[in-house]
Amino acid sequence: MEKIVIDGGNALHGRIEVSGMKNAAVPIIFACVAVGDICVIENLPCISDVETSLEIISSIGARIRYLSENSVEIDSRDVSPASAPCELVNKMRGSYYLIGAMLGRFGSVMAGLPGGCDLGARPIDQHIKAFEALGAEVTVDGGFIDVQTKSGITGAGIYFDCVTVGGTINTIIAAVRAKGTTIIENAAREPHVVDVANFLNYCGANITGAGTDTIKIKGTEDLHGCSYAIIPDMIEAGTFMIAAAATHGRLYINNVIPKHIDAISAKLVEMGASVEEFDDAVLVSHKGALSPVTIKTMPYPGFPTDMNPQAAVLLCLANGTSRMHETIYENRFRYVEELKRMGANIRVDKNIATIMGVDQLSAATVRAVDLRAGVAMVIAGLAARGRTEIDDIYHIERGYDNITNKFKAVGANIHKVVIPDPFVTI
Ligand code: EPZ
């Protein structure tokens, strides 16, 4: 078992690199199965969700060859319509992209239901609605989903009841091989939706409208391999931006598409931080007091729900009372109890957290209760007085590449500690 130990209070200064985006890398790895050829994927983050995704597709016959730490060759020509091991599939939410890929390529798939952070119910009814519109018969039973067609899927019109990133991407991945045209309405507009569409278009697909709320996919059997680099991770960039402001530091955050983080930059400026944009970087610095604000999480281009916990740490240090309104997940505020152990003054009423600013957070032993809550604890530890210890850091390592060394390189007193398992006899 491992934990992160932080002796807080150092202002972060220097240049920090953003890795490839987890939520683009995972679907693109699974989309390689839909392509059925040899693809080279670059700028992959070294995180456990990428490792698990590669393990899942290799368990059904894909051949993986690492070309470097951040690039792999995926040969999915011999993938068979077998089902992947459940213990892998329910380690992460993104494993449901395997269903769209296998449905499009083979016309049928049986898979375990996805796992992922415990942020609430996280149903997949919209994914099922799309698969059924494409002509599949879907059965969910005993932790498995069985998606069957007689002779493959046929393009259709799909109007999502709610904006769903996963549902939008899964439908695109399935529909690229459908007979005919699919039109998705009320589609998610996130940059990673666009990244998946761009990757598939590089492979010969015909997808238009990605990034808008209406996406058209003309199905084709003529898909071929390609080389593709994943976009930078906008949530990792936002996490570093918040860390700079929370420690009264100054960070040059490299490998950024500024447009993707507009909502985050706007909120930081509203709070009084300085954000200077360059072509592929942002410079974030902050001195003095932070102003309280109200944040409402929304689908892109709104303020991302995946930045809720990190931003809440900054609001804990603002000069007054702020509000965090969470509109995506019913269980996003699990981090609040951990922050309160560090002296935060937060009251949650349904999906609104009222956050009263305090002079300083104090170090404590806390847990990472999910991926983004875990990295919020890191930011709180960096800003707090004293030694913070964070347990269950496997959550953080699902989505952040080498984060302790990245923070150490810009002045943080942070390191990972291995705790021998008391029940393992040597
Ligand atoms: C993706 O999850 C991300 N995960 C999440 O990031 C992110 O928070 C979320 O998009 C929103 O941006 C991955 O990409 C692997 P949704 P996803 O479908 O696709 C409801 C992280 O920290 N919904 O856009 O599962 C759902 O319950 C993770 O990196 C349905 O009701 O999110 C939620 O309330 C956490 N039915 C809302 O829609 C469905 O069929 C948005 O979910 C699907 C979703």
Side-chain angles (χ1 to χ4, degrees):
M1 202 162 64
E2 294 180 314
K3 65 182 173 183
I4 288 176
V5 178
I6 302 168
D7 290 311
N10 297 2
L12 302 184
H13 283 275
R15 178 186 173 117
I16 194 165
E17 300 293 323
V18 175
S19 300
M21 181 161 202
K22 165 179 90 83
N23 291 342
V26 167
I28 285 172
I29 288 170
F30 287 107
C32 290
V33 170
V35 172
D37 199 356
I38 298 174
C39 296
V40 172
I41 312 298
E42 297 167 341
N43 199 33
L44 281 172
C46 294
I47 56 174
S48 57
D49 272 13
V50 163
E51 288 160 23
T52 305
S53 302
L54 293 171
E55 272 183 78
I56 290 172
I57 66 169
S58 55
S59 74
I60 55 173
R63 279 187 293 278
I64 311 295
R65 186 161 68 92
Y66 272 90
L67 306 176
S68 75
E69 193 183 28
N70 302 103
S71 61
V72 289
E73 179 187 83
I74 298 173
D75 179 352
S76 61
R77 290 174 297 179
D78 298 333
V79 163
S80 62
S83 63
C86 262
E87 66 275 11
L88 287 175
V89 166
N90 52 42
K91 278 170 102 173
M92 48 181 271
R93 173 88 174 165
S95 58
Y96 53 28
Y97 295 126
L98 179 70
I99 303 165
M102 300 286 270
L103 176 62
R105 180 152 171 207
F106 300 111
S108 67
V109 56
M110 156 84 97
L113 288 172
C117 292
D118 176 12
L119 298 169
R122 301 190 82 179
I124 59 167
D125 59 303
Q126 299 299 301
H127 300 242
I128 293 170
K129 171 180 180 168
F131 298 150
E132 288 174 340
L134 294 168
E137 197 173 310
V138 183
T139 314
V140 177
D141 187 27
F144 280 85
I145 179 168
D146 188 8
V147 188
Q148 298 294 326
T149 66
K150 289 191 174 50
S151 55
I153 56 176
T154 307
I158 295 146
Y159 198 107
F160 281 128
D161 301 339
C162 65
V163 174
T164 160
V165 169
T168 301
I169 292 176
N170 223 349
T171 306
I172 291 172
I173 293 175
V176 289
R177 281 185 176 274
K179 290 186 277 301
T181 297
T182 297
I183 295 180
I184 305 171
E185 294 184 273
N186 199 21
R189 296 185 278 164
E190 272 71 0
H192 30 309
V193 173
V194 178
D195 212 28
V196 173
N198 287 343
F199 163 70
L200 287 166
N201 281 339
Y202 273 47
C203 294
N206 184 335
I207 305 164
T208 52
T212 75
D213 61 6
T214 303
I215 301 174
K216 182 186 284 187
I217 306 112
K218 289 183 181 165
T220 175
E221 278 300 326
D222 303 331
L223 296 179
H224 53 75
C226 77
S227 285
Y228 192 79
I230 305 289
I231 53 170
D233 193 319
M234 57 189 260
I235 304 299
E236 185 186 22
T239 301
F240 294 150
M241 295 166 78
I242 298 266
T247 60
H248 295 285
R250 179 184 171 85
L251 284 182
Y252 184 86
I253 303 165
N254 196 37
N255 280 336
V256 165
I257 298 173
K259 177 72 191 152
H260 292 173
I261 53 171
D262 273 352
I264 303 165
S265 301
K267 268 307 162 188
L268 275 171
V269 169
E270 199 180 323
M271 292 186 76
S274 156
V275 178
E276 195 178 345
E277 287 184 4
F278 303 91
D279 287 347
D280 58 357
V282 283
L283 176 64
V284 179
S285 59
H286 177 63
K287 295 272 178 279
L290 287 160
S291 305
V293 293
T294 292
I295 295 178
K296 183 175 183 180
T297 65
M298 294 295 282
Y300 190 86
F303 192 91
T305 176
D306 291 349
M307 285 298 303
N308 173 331
Q310 303 92 308
V313 174
L314 204 55
L315 300 183
C316 287
L317 300 169
N319 220 353
T321 299
S322 300
R323 272 177 190 72
M324 174 69 78
H325 184 180
E326 170 62 35
T327 69
I328 309 292
Y329 294 115
E330 60 271 31
N331 216 7
R332 175 59 89 181
F333 288 120
R334 293 173 67 221
Y335 63 84
V336 166
E337 290 313 310
E338 298 304 311
L339 272 184
K340 282 180 174 175
R341 293 166 59 85
M342 300 180 73
N345 185 351
I346 306 177
R347 191 181 65 249
V348 177
D349 180 10
K350 297 191 183 68
N351 61 343
I352 294 179
T354 301
I355 302 173
M356 282 61 75
V358 294
D359 291 341
Q360 192 164 35
L361 292 171
S362 47
T365 297
V366 292
R367 284 181 55 230
V369 294
D370 62 54
L371 166 57
R372 306 302 174 182
V375 84
M377 294 305 120
V378 172
I379 295 172
L382 293 171
R385 179 186 62 247
R387 172 164 287 195
T388 295
E389 300 193 358
I390 305 170
D391 293 325
D392 297 340
I393 62 169
Y394 62 90
H395 285 293
I396 302 172
E397 296 185 329
R398 283 190 46 218
Y400 285 89
D401 181 352
N402 200 19
I403 194 162
T404 44
N405 289 333
K406 286 186 179 181
F407 276 138
K408 200 177 292 178
V410 289
N413 189 334
I414 180 173
H415 53 284
K416 236 175 16 178
V417 171
V418 179
I419 313 155
D421 185 337
F423 303 106
V424 172
T425 49
I426 298 167

